[in-house]
Amino acid sequence: MTVKTRFAPSPTGYLHIGGVRTALFSWLYARHHGGRFVLRIEDTDRERSTEESIQAILTGMEWVGLDWDEGPVRQTERFARYAEIAESMLRAGTAYRCYCSREEVEAMRAAQVARGENPRYDGRCRDRRAPVPGVSPVVRLRSPGTGSITVHDLVHGDVPFDNAGLDDLILVRSDGVPTFHFGVVVDDADMGITHVIRGDDHLTNTPRQIHILQALGMPVPVYAHLPMILGADGARLSKRHGAVNVLEYREQGYLPAALLNYLVRLGWAHGDQELFTRAEMIRLFDVASVNAAAARFNPEKLAWLNQQYIQRGERGYLAGELATHMARRGVDARQGPPLAAVVDAYRERAVTLEDIVQASGYLFVEPVPLDEKAARQHLKAAIAGPLARARERLVVLGDWRRQDIHDAVTAVAAESGLGFGKIGQPLRVAVTGGTVSPPIDVTLELVGRERTAARLARALDYIAAQPA
RNA sequence: GCUCCCUUCGUCUAGCGGUCCAGGACGCGGCCCUCUCAAGGCUGAAACAUGGGUUCGAUUCCCAUAGGGAGCGCCA
């Protein structure tokens, strides 16, 4: 039997970070077993479903590289099929029409709660023969009511439920639109989904869905209910915990590989291994070893992972990504050194691509803004001589290469009777406008000879202009 | 209220009855390296929720309790 899994988000907003993990685990399971992965859009809630959400989901999935083999299938395209199945259930007697009004059902529940009972539909329309004129009925499942059912779950084990607690749920609404439970079950069965991997907020819904399947005589898939992702405070992940929309991570300069690596380690581990390539994840992943407990989202660890990926990433790829971010920030990459060189200079000191954009700005603008505080502190009269000597040496350098630049600066320091640090920091401020940059030789190499000379001249002018 | 799920350092986790005075990672502290910022190296503090069982022996199995979470809709 070929494994087939699916990811079935409802398009009522952006693609949530928790959704991405669910999709990832589902995708990994399919890929690990050489199976198929389906993307299905559960848009039966026409009030809340939007086309923008569908686009956001597709864009998010593409960004993280979770590719699907079938779909996206939309439930709204399958209404005829649901109606057909409902009709057959009505004929078989496994479902019935219920003419109770919403008010009637609500009153029933209120009375039950008042008596300290479980709010549940009491099945009063089960044996009704005649339709009620002027009322469009809903279709309800005739559920067992007695006995018990156990859900065989790959992460939670066997979970038993008492059928007495499960009432006759609605399959088709009075307007003919199928409910979530009905749509899911019919779709999974029709698509041949073998493994339903989803959030464990669905665990207690599962016995009801199995009842529908059994009424239909359809095979029951294997279930795996994933624990939820919580915010740092243990509450359900939401906007106030920071970014929850995947695409926000893209904006912030995270790499999809790092995000996926972070997500796969939430609830799953392979010994002490922290870094996983996509191929390793596929090879090693197994839902059965997923933790049953909820996990908290830890932005710091994600940041560390992203840094790891930037540190080790292929420079051409990173340069390409960096170009995208620079363009978005309005930085003209043509005004500076090759981005591959920028990546190499900054990969050890950046957590995100945005960090690189921010920190390397001085390479792409002219004139570079001079930080007041830094200038006041480092560009003093006493350093004017050494800076001038450095400029002289640098402009005549044979090759504008890191090593030669380093030698020149070292020589200036020696002849000025200064330590390397005493000349390095003023040079940095003069050339970058600030106090932080890669090693001074690397920095100067990136800035280039012309600009270095010009910026040193400007720094000397600045010093000269200061009152003694 | 009822049903179900969960519980190892602050966080993510390893551990599948003795290997554990509990290992790794993030974060945090210290030291080293150092032209800034980083990166890196070394190092330190930090956990088996509680109570009962089962067993020669429990972090590991069972049951309670406590604390979290989810579901109980003509939402998904």
Side-chain angles (χ1 to χ4, degrees):
Chain A
M1 176 183 69
T2 307
V3 165
K4 197 166 177 184
T5 66
R6 47 54 160 198
F7 175 53
S10 54
T12 54
Y14 44 72
L15 178 55
H16 193 274
I17 202 79
V20 175
R21 192 188 57 149
T22 302
L24 170 64
F25 282 19
S26 201
W27 178 86
L28 283 174
Y29 194 80
R31 293 288 172 261
H32 177 84
H33 291 281
R36 295 172 71 74
F37 178 63
V38 182
L39 179 61
R40 185 172 73 219
I41 305 295
E42 310 222 321
D43 56 351
T44 53
D45 183 348
R46 311 178 97 151
E47 302 283 287
R48 299 195 297 152
S49 299
T50 66
E51 204 54 37
E52 302 89 272
S53 295
I54 294 178
Q55 275 318 309
I57 289 166
L58 299 184
T59 304
M61 291 288 283
E62 280 160 12
W63 180 59
V64 293
L66 297 182
D67 56 332
W68 53 93
D69 306 303
E70 288 178 32
V73 177
R74 299 184 187 200
Q75 290 191 317
T76 44
E77 295 165 353
R78 293 175 40 80
F79 277 11
R81 175 60 176 160
Y82 306 130
E84 174 191 340
I85 297 283
E87 200 50 48
S88 75
M89 290 179 77
L90 250 10
R91 274 199 305 274
T94 53
Y96 61 91
R97 290 194 172 87
C98 166
Y99 293 85
C100 296
S101 66
R102 295 176 201 241
E103 294 70 32
E104 190 175 353
V105 173
E106 272 163 33
M108 181 196 311
R109 291 209 177 92
Q112 288 164 332
V113 170
R115 272 178 270 132
E117 295 171 13
N118 241 351
R120 59 196 301 278
Y121 181 69
D122 65 6
R124 62 182 60 174
C125 284
R126 278 190 159 212
D127 302 312
R128 177 190 294 277
R129 309 301 285 266
V132 176
V135 175
S136 349
V138 298
V139 175
R140 285 184 185 272
L141 175 74
R142 191 182 300 277
S143 56
T146 58
S148 66
I149 184 170
T150 111
V151 174
H152 302 289
D153 190 281
L154 255 23
V155 350
H156 290 279
D158 285 356
V159 184
F161 290 89
D162 206 336
N163 285 339
L166 279 8
D167 62 0
D168 293 345
L169 74 159
I170 293 175
L171 266 19
V172 182
R173 297 184 258 240
S174 51
D175 62 0
V177 176
T179 59
F180 164 73
H181 292 298
F182 191 52
V184 164
V185 159
V186 172
D187 284 346
D188 285 342
D190 280 355
M191 292 172 180
I193 300 301
T194 59
H195 299 257
V196 171
I197 299 173
R198 78 228 297 195
D200 70 4
D201 47 338
H202 287 308
L203 183 56
T204 52
N205 285 153
T206 305
R208 321 172 83 97
Q209 295 188 0
I210 293 177
H211 281 152
I212 301 175
L213 247 9
Q214 289 179 335
L216 252 20
M218 289 171 161
V220 177
V222 174
Y223 293 96
H225 287 95
L226 274 18
M228 320 212 64
I229 297 181
L230 276 19
D233 58 357
R236 199 172 181 149
L237 199 60
S238 67
K239 294 114 282 160
R240 69 193 170 81
H241 294 112
V244 285
N245 176 354
V246 237
L247 295 178
E248 283 181 59
Y249 287 92
R250 182 177 68 176
E251 303 304 308
Q252 291 175 19
Y254 285 86
L255 267 18
L259 217 215
L260 254 26
N261 197 142
Y262 176 71
L263 258 16
V264 82
R265 284 283 289 98
L266 234 40
W268 178 81
H270 181 256
D272 289 339
Q273 189 170 345
E274 295 289 350
L275 265 24
F276 295 86
T277 62
R278 183 167 283 245
E280 284 175 318
M281 274 167 41
I282 291 173
R283 180 158 51 81
L284 269 13
F285 183 77
D286 180 17
V287 248
S289 56
V290 167
N291 233 35
R296 298 184 189 209
F297 190 85
N298 183 346
E300 267 119 31
K301 185 139 187 185
L302 202 214
W304 176 78
L305 273 166
N306 204 57
Q307 185 177 90
Q308 293 300 308
Y309 276 85
I310 286 181
Q311 239 174 83
R312 300 152 197 250
E314 200 265 310
R315 74 160 63 76
Y317 163 72
L318 292 173
E321 295 300 303
L322 182 59
T324 306
H325 281 269
M326 285 177 50
R328 187 152 40 215
R329 291 285 172 209
V331 176
D332 186 354
R334 292 167 307 182
Q335 301 305 311
L339 294 189
V342 176
V343 165
D344 282 339
Y346 277 94
R347 65 198 317 159
E348 277 187 355
R349 61 204 89 236
V351 168
T352 66
L353 292 169
E354 280 296 308
D355 288 345
I356 300 183
V357 175
Q358 297 301 331
S360 68
Y362 64 89
L363 294 170
F364 304 93
V365 288
E366 202 64 61
V368 65
L370 191 60
D371 180 74
E372 260 311 307
K373 187 166 173 243
R376 236 182 298 124
Q377 191 175 353
H378 296 283
L379 300 182
K380 295 177 176 168
I383 206 68
L387 281 185
R389 276 192 286 283
R391 183 171 186 277
E392 284 161 24
R393 276 185 178 273
L394 289 169
V395 291
V396 299
L397 222 46
D399 287 315
W400 191 253
R401 288 192 334 232
R402 175 181 183 172
Q403 189 56 54
D404 299 301
I405 295 168
H406 189 270
D407 291 345
V409 176
T410 304
V412 171
E415 68 192 34
S416 306
L418 298 170
F420 195 98
K422 292 290 185 213
I423 180 76
Q425 206 51 355
L427 266 176
R428 175 170 283 112
V429 173
V431 156
T432 71
T435 56
V436 176
S437 84
I440 198 64
D441 47 359
V442 174
T443 300
L444 295 190
E445 184 179 42
L446 286 174
V447 170
R449 190 200 305 265
E450 314 297 301
R451 278 184 176 167
T452 294
R455 291 178 182 183
L456 277 174
R458 184 183 66 155
L460 290 169
D461 289 347
Y462 170 90
I463 294 173
Q466 297 309 301

